Amino acid sequence: MDLFPMTTICKCVVTDLDGTLWDGVLGEDGLAGLRVRPGHQDLQAELVTLHSRGVALAVASKNDLGDVQTAFATLPNMVLGWQHLTAWRVGWQDKPSALRGIATDLGYG
């Protein structure tokens, strides 16, 4: 699966977590309620490939930062690691503000 062909030019991909990189909602289901299924692994592998091509990866999520870091470190079947992320906004701010914050962190206009 190639979500971003080589002809696509992009500097950064920002992803959510709950329902995107894993099944479940971290804040409601806890770590025990999360599942990384094959489709999630495929998406994560594609993101890792983009990272290897120089694309910045970022996360924007309404969660507690410590819980998210623990999920990255302990969830079975994760392909994407915290070390692949260039920026993140994890907290309770709205998504547009989180995206603006990531853009600022990365020096994007």
Side-chain angles (χ1 to χ4, degrees), residues 2-3 18 32 36 49-50 53 70 75 77 89-90 92 97 101:
D2 193 3
L3 298 177
D18 298 330
V36 178
T49 297
L50 289 173
R53 294 181 190 167
T70 299
L75 272 177
N77 304 319
R89 280 288 193 274
V90 177
W92 301 103
S97 296

Side-chain angles (χ1 to χ4, degrees), residues 10-28:
C10 91
K11 293 182 179 182
C12 180
V13 173
V14 181
T15 184
D16 200 343
L17 301 173
D18 298 330
T20 304
L21 294 186
W22 53 62
D23 271 344
V25 178
L26 180 56
E28 295 175 14

Side-chain angles (χ1 to χ4, degrees), residues 15-19 22 24-31 34 59-69 71-72 82 88-93 95:
T15 184
D16 200 343
L17 301 173
D18 298 330
W22 53 62
V25 178
L26 180 56
E28 295 175 14
D29 302 323
L31 285 172
L34 303 181
V59 164
S61 178
K62 288 187 175 184
N63 274 299
D64 290 320
L65 180 59
D67 291 345
V68 169
Q69 289 173 319
F72 268 83
W82 193 257
W88 55 87
R89 280 288 193 274
V90 177
W92 301 103
Q93 68 189 115
K95 293 291 177 157

Side-chain angles (χ1 to χ4, degrees), residues 8-14 50-51 53-58 86 106-109:
T8 301
I9 298 172
C10 91
K11 293 182 179 182
C12 180
V13 173
V14 181
L50 289 173
H51 177 266
R53 294 181 190 167
V55 174
L57 303 180
T86 304
L106 297 176
Y108 299 155

